[in-house]
Amino acid sequence: MLPLKYPVLSLLAALCFAVSSQAGNPVIKDRFTADPAALVHDGKVYLYVGHDEATPEDGFFVLNEWLIFSSDNMIDWELKASLPRSEFEWGRRPTAWAAQAIERDGKFFWYVTVLNDDPDPAKAGFGIGVAFANSPTGPFKDALGEPLVRSDMTTPPEFMIEGGRPSWDNIDPTVFIDDDGQAYLYWGNTHLYYSKLKDNMIELDGEIHQVEIEGMPGTFTEAPWLHQHGNTYYLSFAMDYPEKIAYATSDTPVGPWSYGGLILDVLPDTGTSHQAFLEFEGEWYFIHHTAALPGGGNYRRSVAIERFEHNPDGSIDQLVSTASGLAFEPYLIGLFDSDGNFLRHQDRQAVVSSWDAGEAYDFKWHLVDGLEDSVEDGVSIQSENMPGFYLLRSERGGIRLAKHDGSEDFAEAATFAKVRGLSSREATSFMVPGERQNYLLVTETGALMHGRVMRADRYRATFVVRR
Ligand code: FUB
């Protein structure tokens, strides 16, 4: 049972909270985007993504094009250009998979993953192409008219070629130019490869090497990304499946690579994870994709951004993908007159329990304008560390944490009217819209539900929202 009615009332610390209309993440909200890469040019950031166009019914990736967005501040993004997969005439199907662009001497090279349409089965399968442009937004043109990396240049793992399936070990390029001007291309799925690039950036220079990562507790899946900080080279990648993002370090851009740790754990509702690292105006950013947009999922992903730092010893702490992102801060929602009891989620249920610093993110909430926008003072309560998940009412009085499926029914059941606190004018209660007897409340056991509130129990439906 909850220790209710404690004497300490921290209303003074409570702010009259302002509902923000949107969360910071995902950063692109009007379409599904995946597999981010980014570069800085002339004081602006350019974000290169795949455009996820799968419908909820599609059982696989559908990407007909890549998109380029730009921003001055990492928060406001403007769509600048697109590159259709059909620019690579040797490609087929909607397979505009992961890609990365880089600048060299004022020219831009964009390395892309495309399924190769070669009639020779040995050469068919995913390949890596390269497009060229004189500006970061293009127009980009296929620089070679054929893949830079083709299936018959590598030996895929056995399981990739069984049953006539095309091999997909040649996907997910990442490109990096070292201080001495030498460029490197890493890529792979299951097998991780690298090769040097010639100065012209459109030819491999020498052999393709297969890379091992020492001490890795899982298996390399895909999505390599190479970056440098100080004298340390970082190779990050998707590990296992569903994917986590992990990293390895080395003193050179070609290894040997030693496993460093986990950067991002498995995300809800997307089996893939794909990351980019970017330094902009002295700060470092971790750009990745989640399934957080309404109706998001495995093939309907959306790009999100978090700030991070490299530790003095060279390590990178595990990060949390948040709803707040760069632009907002989450709230704590305390139960009125109950010292130290806050709303949290646990196993996708909402409960009120005592503060636990080790699980602090589960206690953080993002309050946005009601998903159902006709409700006066409408508010929806989104989890900070499960972006896209909201407190959702059931008709029978239950409350659970559920993913926004994009439907109107969901929007309605996840919207409350923010009203003056039933126990204190300075606190807040959350009313079921249009139902003056029906409030979000906490039961004796700490479970969250909604229903009728007795006069003596009003404090159970009164909350203190604060930072
Ligand atoms: O978007 C298609 C594929 O999913 C990418 O190439 C992989 O990295 C994974 O994110």
Side-chain angles (χ1 to χ4, degrees):
M1 174 156 141
L2 283 174
L4 299 174
K5 288 281 182 190
Y6 269 42
V8 180
L9 171 62
S10 55
L11 271 185
L12 286 179
L15 302 175
C16 181
F17 72 95
V19 172
S20 54
S21 57
Q22 290 183 318
N25 280 327
V27 294
I28 312 294
K29 301 183 199 310
D30 63 349
R31 66 198 81 202
F32 294 106
T33 54
D35 303 329
L39 59 80
V40 178
H41 172 72
D42 222 358
K44 272 186 190 291
V45 178
Y46 293 87
L47 177 64
Y48 300 78
V49 298
H51 182 191
D52 266 347
E53 294 178 78
T55 66
E57 290 71 42
D58 282 319
F60 200 56
F61 302 106
V62 179
L63 297 107
N64 288 295
E65 60 179 357
W66 298 269
L67 304 173
I68 308 173
F69 294 83
S70 82
S71 173
D72 295 328
N73 58 11
M74 298 294 293
I75 291 167
D76 305 302
W77 294 93
E78 193 184 337
L79 179 61
K80 291 298 207 187
S82 65
L83 175 65
R85 197 284 301 148
S86 55
E87 172 59 27
F88 301 90
E89 285 179 6
W90 46 273
R92 65 185 158 115
R93 298 199 218 148
T95 53
W97 284 19
Q100 184 186 346
I102 198 166
E103 178 176 2
R104 176 159 211 153
D105 302 330
K107 297 183 170 59
F108 295 83
F109 299 89
W110 196 357
Y111 301 84
V112 302
T113 308
V114 170
L115 185 61
N116 181 8
D117 203 14
D118 201 300
D120 177 350
K123 296 179 182 169
F126 279 93
I128 292 170
V130 55
F132 162 82
N134 287 310
S135 98
T137 53
F140 278 91
K141 294 286 161 206
D142 185 354
L144 293 171
E146 60 179 358
L148 171 65
V149 179
R150 219 180 34 219
S151 283
D152 61 345
M153 296 180 179
T154 58
T155 308
E158 274 298 307
F159 74 91
M160 281 189 186
I161 42 178
E162 272 172 12
R165 288 183 76 178
S167 76
W168 67 97
D169 57 333
N170 294 306
I171 68 167
D172 291 7
T174 179
V175 59
F176 172 81
I177 303 175
D178 201 6
D179 299 334
D180 63 3
Q182 177 62 58
Y184 299 89
L185 190 72
Y186 275 73
W187 71 93
N189 177 301
T190 310
H191 285 172
L192 171 60
Y193 304 111
Y194 89 87
S195 172
K196 287 182 180 173
L197 285 169
K198 291 190 179 165
D199 287 352
N200 65 15
M201 301 295 277
I202 58 170
E203 284 178 89
L204 301 185
D205 191 2
E207 283 173 54
I208 294 176
H209 305 263
Q210 197 178 325
V211 179
E212 299 298 333
I213 295 167
E214 196 192 305
M216 177 165 48
T219 48
F220 168 80
T221 304
E222 56 188 1
W225 181 276
L226 194 56
H227 80 271
Q228 184 184 7
H229 181 251
N231 293 326
T232 305
Y233 297 84
Y234 293 82
L235 178 63
S236 54
F237 51 90
M239 184 171 77
D240 299 335
Y241 193 90
E243 296 173 352
K244 312 165 185 109
I245 300 295
Y247 75 98
T249 57
S250 176
D251 296 337
T252 82
V254 295
W257 297 101
S258 306
Y259 183 77
L262 215 58
I263 298 177
L264 191 68
D265 210 339
V266 173
L267 294 167
D269 288 356
T270 169
T272 66
S273 231
H274 198 116
Q275 77 298 347
F277 289 83
L278 181 77
E279 186 179 18
F280 178 57
E281 294 184 340
E283 301 226 60
W284 277 89
Y285 297 91
F286 174 72
I287 313 176
H288 55 293
H289 68 223
T290 69
L293 271 191
N298 262 333
Y299 313 114
R300 290 157 66 83
R301 301 160 292 178
S302 33
V303 168
I305 306 183
E306 301 292 337
R307 216 175 260 115
F308 81 101
E309 289 177 3
H310 297 85
N311 293 323
D313 66 358
S315 61
I316 299 176
D317 291 336
Q318 193 173 324
L319 301 173
V320 174
S321 184
T322 66
S324 291
L326 307 178
F328 296 91
E329 274 186 52
Y331 291 97
L332 297 178
I333 302 178
L335 181 59
F336 179 76
D337 211 2
S338 147
D339 189 26
N341 285 306
F342 296 91
L343 176 63
R344 67 168 293 180
H345 64 86
Q346 207 164 32
D347 303 327
R348 301 200 181 186
Q349 299 302 319
V351 297
V352 167
S353 74
S354 55
W355 174 252
D356 178 347
E359 294 179 354
Y361 274 98
D362 296 348
F363 287 81
K364 296 181 182 180
W365 301 93
H366 197 76
L367 290 115
V368 298
D369 282 348
L371 295 173
E372 165 54 61
D373 58 13
S374 64
V375 173
E376 198 183 331
D377 286 326
V379 63
S380 294
I381 305 172
Q382 183 181 187
S383 160
E384 171 69 338
N385 61 346
M386 291 183 70
F389 284 71
Y390 294 82
L391 292 189
L392 185 73
R393 297 188 299 273
S394 76
E395 285 192 357
R396 283 175 296 166
I399 296 282
R400 67 191 166 93
L401 189 67
K403 176 74 198 310
H404 191 345
D405 60 9
S407 70
E408 284 179 16
D409 286 353
F410 187 101
E412 198 186 315
T415 301
F416 297 86
K418 176 169 94 86
V419 297
R420 225 167 42 200
L422 295 180
S423 279
S424 161
R425 308 168 66 86
E426 287 146 282
T428 301
S429 291
F430 298 97
M431 190 181 88
V432 175
E435 298 185 26
R436 299 213 148 268
Q437 308 291 332
N438 196 349
Y439 290 87
L440 196 63
L441 59 89
V442 181
T443 66
E444 284 222 353
T445 59
L448 205 66
M449 58 171 285
H450 67 94
R452 195 183 172 92
V453 185
M454 300 300 161
R455 177 171 283 272
D457 282 344
R458 284 184 166 180
Y459 64 96
R460 293 185 185 281
T462 306
F463 299 90
V464 177
V465 180
R466 67 172 174 85
R467 290 236 153 86

